[in-house]
Amino acid sequence: MSYKHKPSIIEKIAETLHIIPNLHDVEDPGLPRLTGPGKLTDYPPPDKWNDWEEYEATRWSKKETRHYSIVPTTCFNCESACGLLGYIDKETGEVRKFEGNPYHPASRGKNCAKGPATINQIKDPDRIMYPMKRKGGRGEGEWERVSWDEALDDIAGRIRKALQEGRNNEIAYHVGRPGHEGYMDRVLKAWNVDGHNSHTNVCSSGARFGYNIWHGYDRPSPDFANAKFILLISAHLESGHYFNPHAQRIMEGMMDGAKLAAMDPRLSNTASMANYWLPTNPGSEAAVLLAMAKIIIEEGLMNEKFVKDWVNWDEYLQKQHPGTEVTFENYKAKLLAEYAEYTPEFAEQESGVKAAVIREVALEIGKAGSRFAAHNWRSAGSGNLGGWAVARALHFLNVLTGSVGTVGGTSPNSWNKFKPTFFDNPPAQKFWNELHFPNEYPLAFFEMSMLLPHFLKEGRGKLDTYFTRVFNPVWTYPDGFSWIEALSDEEKVGMHIALTPTWNETAYFADYVLPMGLASERHDINSYETHSGVWVAFRQPVLREFARREGKDFTFTYEVNPGEVWEEDEFWIELSWRIDPDGSLGIREHFLSPYRKGEKITIDEYYQFIFENIKGLPEKAAEEGLTALEYMKKYGAYEVSSANYELHKKEIPADQLAGATVDKATGIISKNGVNIGVEIDGKAMVGFPTPSRKQEFYSQTMVDWKWPEYTIPTYIKSHVHEEKMDREKGDFPLVPTFRLPVLIHSRSANAKWLTEIANRNPVWMHTSDAERFGLKSGDLIRVNTDIGYFVDKVWVTEGMKPGVVACSHHLGRWRRPQDKEGNRWATNTVKIENKEKGKWKMTTLNGIKPYESDDKDSKRIFWSDGGVHQNITFPVHPDPISGMHCWHQKVRIEVAHPEDKYGDIFVDTDKSFAVYKEWLSWTRPAPGPNGERRPIWFHRALRPAPETFYLNQKDKK
Ligand code: SF4
């Protein structure tokens, strides 16, 4: 078939003169168009995924076509793990592009810009293709290629020796981008190592603590699509983290009439689309939320039935107001008295948001009632001393409106998250590692990861073998020079193994750099609370599945991935076998096939077992004549359940009630000394996993753990409160936490499309503040922190609250001249000097430049500004309760000094150690009741054996 219409004279002339391609002599195969009018949501049908033919975009005028094998996987560029379809050219075996997977229940075929940009990452000319071992001194930049066998044997021997010598606490695994749904917990338990460390304390501990103290769940799951009013205290989440699945549903809710309010001192993309922008002073959010709570109570908009049934108001009266008759009317009266000072006018004074607006939004929330959806993740929860109180105050609004777990309300995360069943569960480790869970922070959520360099410096312990997994603390964390000092010291860190897809600032200080796959090059399962429903997705190495479809023989994923890029799953199995070559350590037994007695488990068998044990999946697969594993390989995702509401009302089955007792006063149902539910209206319900099995307005836990001033939702003044500012001297609160929607912390630097869109991070400053300094956009300023300074450009904008400045946290990536070339789309070349102990200086030698590579686009780089590394100039600010690093900084801003150059950085790590000590002095250490290290009812990552929860195990009762 050729083009049907006859060429016009003009077309003929243009074709003859080769001004346009000759379109009339070309045979057109007449393939269906998926993007024609009304067809934007069409995708290739799954029955054609083994052989999908479509036009070749780079040869459009010739009407050439290509045949593809389409393999589903999931995106790795933020936590939400949206579905992707990898298109593999059947002729060349090359992955050509990624598009959305319509069978993924959370992303539903849609992605943000970071999803399809996965193709840039796998084709990045600077990526690490082979295992590398350092030559020369650590951090000197010399590397040699080694085999996987050599690396595995070396690392395994070291771990085996440490375990045999009882140095279990010297082995640590530190994860940046998590996932894996329990995979690493299994590995570390099998090793009997309390070695899990994570990035949580620089991310979400504040919000987690605030939610947990209410109801034993540490994350919210808003039902945006069905809400009538949505309140977000999270520019981070909805513009970067759960960006796409949440954004879709917020838009659906709004199209259905929901109103949106965004609380943020910066006019974020989300705030710009909202009905209400509430530009609060950083750290004042809880004051505003408590004022809203007061209005809701005063206006009679409280859901009394929910509060009466599901809040421990009676315990509050008994403990806080002994002698007062325990009636709900008395509770309401006390409630109003508790919050009497939180008038809208007080909230305006603290926040700078007009009292009338606060009142209007409060009434909207009250009217939305059980359809009020809210979220707080990083943002205020992670920025401020006492930031956890923001999430607690926000959830108070959900409690008052009875929107906990309702349609259009906000559910606990665990209701909408899948938990896998494993073929084998090693016993919990018998160790408690105080390098990760120190006694000073008994309530922290979770590991005090940002303090590790200081703990090592103080001699609290050392690390024999330290794995970092997709983790870059030198750059992402505060106080990166303290990390460089720790990682450079072989006495403190015996061996550092960086498991990473790309070179990064932390990997430069490793002994082994082991290349791990990007999204489409590794196995994993994912499940997140993106909406009301439970789903599970399968991240699979697409070239492995392609090889299987093509009948190719292989054993390990690195045999089909580019170079020798591997994946952690198979790596940990192989490493575990080599740590325990004869089975005498009891490790090997946890890595045996559930299907082939005595033989090593394969990665297919690992996932086969999990998928076979998902409710309904084997039956669904059988409808197509597939096994559960085959189904997941084919579709990449499965919806386990939908519409999970009011699960706290689930009745306890009669067989579980046998032998249980009910406390007549509280209604708490317990069995074998454990609270299992609560009696409401004569029915035995599971309730919430708190000591009272209810929402805890009053927290006895806070009293027991020495914080009686915070027994109920409270406002805590931030370390960047106005009272701390000397405005005459140029003090400002700096908000350094906001995300750009197209970037990821330190993993978008190898994506050329994303870096092309966003490549610098100026300091946002309001016009009125800029006028005071005589600044215009592009001028240089020196931003002084408590431990040093950075020199950046200023961006003058009306989109920033006056008196507050902000700087995005993605940019300012760097490498030194001696380092391997990596991420050159985004890295400045810098010089780092450390002429005097503790005094570090960084200067930019050059910015981003075009370069020669296999990718022609690398010569076309037109941007030169790679931004400024601000985080490295921040001291650690560990919140004494939640353990959250409080990111906001009180900074002193000056017009740049004559000698200052863009990107200059100075830090004094002696000062950063002193700031750490100061914040540490505010803690109230364990033990708590009964000698406990941590409340037993709190979550703990990689929960160790019960007896380890007691500082002296003889205290165990
Ligand atoms: S929201 Fe974007 S970055 Fe995150 S998983 Fe989805 S496509 Fe990837």
Side-chain angles (χ1 to χ4, degrees):
M1 182 172 70
S2 60
Y3 285 84
K4 291 229 165 61
H5 80 273
K6 275 180 73 172
S8 66
I9 291 180
I10 292 176
E11 277 178 325
K12 264 202 144 167
I13 294 169
E15 284 176 1
T16 309
L17 295 175
H18 301 293
I19 296 168
I20 61 170
N22 184 340
L23 301 175
H24 293 86
D25 289 344
V26 178
E27 284 297 306
D28 181 358
L31 296 182
R33 300 278 181 175
L34 297 179
T35 52
K39 297 187 106 185
L40 276 170
T41 54
D42 284 1
Y43 295 84
D47 60 354
K48 295 197 174 157
W49 285 6
N50 281 351
D51 186 10
W52 171 249
E53 185 183 15
E54 70 176 31
Y55 293 109
E56 166 58 38
T58 60
R59 305 273 294 161
W60 63 275
S61 63
K62 300 290 180 199
K63 289 287 167 191
E64 282 182 14
T65 66
R66 286 264 186 276
H67 287 260
Y68 291 99
S69 197
I70 297 179
V71 181
T73 190
T74 61
C75 180
F76 194 42
N77 282 337
C78 84
E79 191 172 8
S80 53
C82 298
L84 293 176
L85 296 179
Y87 283 62
I88 300 150
D89 187 318
K90 284 179 73 100
E91 197 181 317
T92 63
E94 182 195 6
V95 185
R96 292 291 307 279
K97 63 176 176 178
F98 292 96
E99 295 191 342
N101 178 3
Y103 291 90
H104 190 292
S107 57
R108 303 179 291 192
K110 300 164 194 163
N111 297 100
C112 79
K114 292 169 285 189
T118 301
I119 193 71
N120 295 165
Q121 297 173 306
I122 66 171
K123 291 180 182 292
D124 171 29
D126 284 349
R127 64 178 301 189
I128 311 161
M129 289 295 202
Y130 302 97
M132 306 295 277
K133 186 179 182 183
R134 84 168 151 93
K135 291 197 298 187
R138 195 183 282 166
E140 285 179 2
E142 286 288 309
W143 300 89
E144 63 183 351
R145 182 175 159 185
V146 292
S147 70
W148 277 111
D149 272 335
E150 195 178 327
L152 283 165
D153 286 339
D154 190 14
I155 299 164
R158 202 178 169 95
I159 295 176
R160 178 176 173 78
K161 187 163 185 292
L163 296 180
Q164 284 173 328
E165 293 171 4
R167 293 183 286 112
N168 302 46
N169 277 354
E170 290 184 16
I171 297 160
Y173 162 83
H174 206 149
V175 60
R177 174 73 277 131
H180 262 185
E181 300 304 329
Y183 192 104
M184 264 327 279
D185 286 15
R186 245 188 47 77
V187 172
L188 294 169
K189 283 180 182 175
W191 295 0
N192 192 16
V193 158
D194 191 32
H196 190 277
N197 209 339
S198 71
H199 77 271
T200 307
N201 282 70
V202 298
C203 176
S204 56
S205 303
R208 283 178 191 267
F209 184 86
Y211 283 108
N212 183 73
I213 202 68
W214 263 110
H215 62 177
Y217 298 104
D218 64 355
R219 297 170 76 137
S221 177
D223 186 19
F224 291 133
N226 296 304
K228 286 202 170 135
F229 197 88
I230 299 168
L231 174 56
L232 303 176
I233 310 181
S234 181
H236 179 76
L237 200 85
E238 276 66 39
S239 64
H241 202 203
Y242 279 7
F243 178 23
N244 164 45
H246 272 187
Q248 292 182 23
R249 290 167 176 89
I250 290 170
M251 285 189 271
E252 276 170 30
M254 291 178 80
M255 284 160 68
D256 214 18
K259 287 189 177 163
L260 172 67
M263 202 178 271
D264 192 334
R266 192 182 62 90
L267 185 64
S268 64
N269 292 4
T270 311
S272 70
M273 301 297 288
N275 301 83
Y276 298 95
W277 175 33
L278 308 174
T280 40
N281 288 323
S284 66
E285 296 82 358
V288 175
L289 296 166
L290 293 177
M292 290 176 176
K294 178 171 154 30
I295 292 163
I296 288 169
I297 300 164
E298 284 173 343
E299 295 294 328
L301 295 168
M302 176 164 77
N303 184 329
E304 293 200 8
K305 169 75 177 147
F306 180 82
V307 176
K308 209 171 187 171
D309 285 352
W310 287 107
V311 174
N312 69 340
W313 56 270
D314 41 357
E315 187 181 1
Y316 159 76
L317 283 180
Q318 287 155 2
K319 301 266 178 64
Q320 292 288 88
H321 302 284
T324 302
E325 194 186 351
V326 181
T327 66
F328 195 69
E329 287 309 308
N330 282 344
Y331 172 61
K332 282 200 290 182
K334 293 291 181 198
L335 203 48
L336 283 172
E338 290 278 12
Y339 296 103
E341 69 179 294
Y342 290 96
T343 60
E345 290 71 28
F346 169 73
E348 176 176 338
Q349 176 197 313
E350 288 296 287
S351 68
V353 176
K354 291 268 174 266
V357 177
I358 294 171
R359 185 174 170 75
E360 189 176 328
V361 172
L363 293 176
E364 291 279 1
I365 292 170
K367 276 192 281 174
S370 64
R371 288 184 182 251
F372 168 56
H375 208 298
N376 173 213
W377 204 230
R378 293 197 71 184
S379 190
S382 70
N384 301 286
L385 175 69
W388 58 271
V390 179
R392 194 186 198 190
L394 180 64
H395 188 72
F396 191 20
L397 300 183
N398 284 118
V399 170
L400 289 173
T401 50
S403 54
V404 179
T406 50
V407 176
T410 307
S411 292
N413 63 321
S414 306
W415 294 5
N416 292 318
K417 189 164 164 61
F418 160 80
K419 267 202 166 21
T421 305
F422 297 114
F423 69 99
D424 165 84
N425 292 299
Q429 73 279 12
K430 303 278 190 296
F431 291 84
W432 182 291
N433 194 333
E434 292 180 8
L435 279 180
H436 311 316
F437 285 93
N439 295 331
E440 289 93 338
Y441 297 90
L443 306 178
F445 268 70
F446 293 103
E447 304 93 337
M448 294 305 299
S449 63
M450 78 294 223
L451 301 186
L452 185 60
H454 296 300
F455 290 166
L456 295 174
K457 193 171 188 170
E458 283 183 325
R460 292 190 184 209
K462 60 180 182 172
L463 297 172
D464 177 275
T465 310
Y466 181 51
F467 293 96
T468 51
R469 187 255 190 180
V470 195
F471 182 54
N472 185 11
V474 168
W475 187 81
T476 313
Y477 271 44
D479 205 6
F481 284 120
S482 288
W483 280 87
I484 291 178
E485 288 177 357
L487 292 173
S488 302
D489 186 340
E490 292 181 38
E491 291 295 310
K492 295 186 172 68
V493 182
M495 178 183 277
H496 171 205
I497 302 131
L499 308 169
T500 174
T502 59
W503 286 104
N504 63 49
E505 291 81 347
T506 302
Y508 292 139
F509 298 91
D511 299 295
Y512 280 104
V513 172
L514 303 181
M516 294 295 164
L518 291 152
S520 59
E521 298 164 344
R522 58 164 63 226
H523 284 94
D524 204 344
I525 46 174
N526 320 111
S527 179
Y528 295 105
E529 62 280 6
T530 51
H531 61 288
S532 186
V534 176
W535 53 270
V536 57
F538 189 34
R539 181 175 289 144
Q540 62 180 332
V542 297
L543 289 174
R544 181 177 172 129
E545 173 58 4
F546 174 64
R548 189 193 65 81
R549 288 182 188 178
E550 297 292 301
K552 190 178 162 194
D553 257 0
F554 60 90
T555 305
F556 294 119
T557 300
Y558 67 72
E559 295 167 44
V560 290
N561 268 347
E564 286 183 10
V565 171
W566 208 359
E567 58 169 333
E568 283 99 341
D569 281 13
E570 288 182 338
F571 172 81
W572 296 121
I573 296 171
E574 291 306 306
L575 186 65
S576 299
W577 267 62
R578 292 179 200 220
I579 293 170
D580 190 15
D582 55 6
S584 60
L585 294 180
I587 294 173
R588 185 176 273 221
E589 66 199 58
H590 299 296
F591 299 90
L592 293 176
S593 165
Y595 304 103
R596 296 170 297 117
K597 199 168 170 9
E599 294 192 49
K600 194 192 298 175
I601 189 169
T602 65
I603 204 59
D604 265 359
E605 288 173 334
Y606 175 85
Y607 288 105
Q608 178 185 343
F609 189 91
I610 289 175
F611 295 148
E612 281 174 356
N613 284 284
I614 295 178
K615 196 170 153 237
L617 174 55
E619 294 76 15
K620 175 91 178 160
E623 287 170 16
E624 296 189 32
L626 301 173
T627 65
L629 179 63
E630 286 166 347
Y631 181 94
M632 292 303 279
K633 284 184 174 181
K634 179 175 177 184
Y635 290 101
Y638 173 69
E639 186 171 63
V640 184
S641 65
S642 59
N644 302 318
Y645 300 109
E646 303 203 318
L647 299 189
H648 57 292
K649 292 183 177 170
K650 199 171 144 208
E651 293 191 34
I652 304 173
D655 58 329
Q656 284 177 30
L657 277 177
T661 54
V662 183
D663 183 310
K664 286 279 170 267
T666 61
I668 295 172
I669 304 166
S670 50
K671 189 172 171 180
N672 303 327
V674 178
N675 295 349
I676 60 167
V678 62
E679 209 171 71
I680 304 284
D681 291 337
K683 289 185 184 151
M685 302 181 186
V686 293
F688 299 94
T690 57
S692 66
R693 303 301 292 188
K694 292 185 178 180
Q695 298 282 318
E696 299 214 331
F697 170 75
Y698 168 82
S699 174
Q700 183 63 36
T701 303
M702 295 305 277
V703 179
D704 291 345
W705 291 81
K706 309 167 194 168
W707 296 98
E709 63 270 50
Y710 300 138
T711 51
I712 64 170
T714 328
Y715 166 50
I716 299 172
K717 285 188 178 171
S718 169
H719 65 299
V720 294
H721 189 275
E722 189 60 33
E723 290 167 357
K724 314 267 178 182
M725 300 289 153
D726 187 337
R727 294 292 186 175
E728 290 302 309
K729 291 192 171 148
D731 286 356
F732 280 79
L734 168 70
V735 174
T737 45
F738 77 87
R739 270 191 128 155
L740 300 174
V742 296
L743 296 185
I744 315 134
H745 304 286
S746 74
R747 282 175 301 113
S748 44
N750 63 345
K752 61 185 178 186
W753 297 338
L754 303 178
T755 310
E756 180 182 5
I757 297 168
N759 44 59
R760 55 194 159 162
N761 60 341
V763 173
W764 292 36
M765 183 182 271
H766 188 262
T767 322
S768 57
D769 294 320
E771 273 168 13
R772 235 183 78 207
F773 286 99
L775 292 166
K776 58 182 186 320
S777 286
D779 287 349
L780 288 186
I781 53 172
R782 185 188 273 210
V783 182
N784 297 286
T785 67
D786 285 343
I787 62 170
Y789 65 81
F790 65 96
V791 177
D792 199 352
K793 292 172 188 163
V794 70
W795 185 47
V796 179
T797 170
E798 294 285 311
M800 195 65 227
K801 185 179 177 72
V804 184
V805 289
C807 185
S808 162
H809 68 177
H810 303 282
L811 293 148
R813 299 296 309 279
W814 51 262
R815 65 182 196 276
R816 303 161 305 167
Q818 71 264 40
D819 290 327
K820 281 276 186 192
E821 283 167 332
N823 302 309
R824 276 180 285 174
W825 311 105
T827 45
N828 297 315
T829 308
V830 301
K831 181 165 85 174
I832 294 180
E833 294 169 286
N834 180 210
K835 289 186 183 151
E836 200 184 326
K837 186 178 161 293
K839 311 277 189 299
W840 293 84
K841 194 164 179 357
M842 187 190 292
T843 43
T844 304
L845 298 175
N846 53 261
I848 319 294
K849 291 198 297 196
Y851 62 97
E852 291 280 347
S853 77
D854 293 342
D855 184 340
K856 287 185 187 140
D857 282 345
S858 67
K859 278 197 299 192
R860 301 180 181 127
I861 292 177
F862 58 83
W863 58 97
S864 57
D865 182 349
V868 180
H869 186 190
Q870 60 168 339
N871 290 6
I872 204 165
T873 68
F874 301 159
V876 292
H877 287 160
D879 182 273
I881 295 178
S882 69
M884 179 76 224
H885 168 62
C886 307
W887 275 102
H888 294 351
Q889 307 286 318
K890 185 184 90 169
V891 294
R892 187 154 291 176
I893 289 182
E894 305 170 86
V895 173
H897 296 195
E899 71 277 17
D900 286 348
K901 296 206 175 48
Y902 180 56
D904 278 1
I905 279 163
F906 174 76
V907 168
D908 181 341
T909 52
D910 289 340
K911 282 191 182 167
S912 68
F913 189 75
V915 176
Y916 148 69
K917 284 297 220 184
E918 184 192 6
W919 283 63
L920 184 71
S921 71
W922 303 340
T923 60
R924 300 178 191 172
N930 307 320
E932 291 165 16
R933 291 178 186 270
R934 178 178 182 80
I936 306 290
W937 72 274
F938 273 24
H939 296 293
R940 212 216 84 163
L942 191 69
R943 197 175 183 88
E947 63 272 18
T948 65
F949 272 71
Y950 300 87
L951 259 175
N952 292 307
Q953 292 193 11
K954 64 180 168 44
D955 290 333
K956 184 177 182 312
K957 289 194 177 161

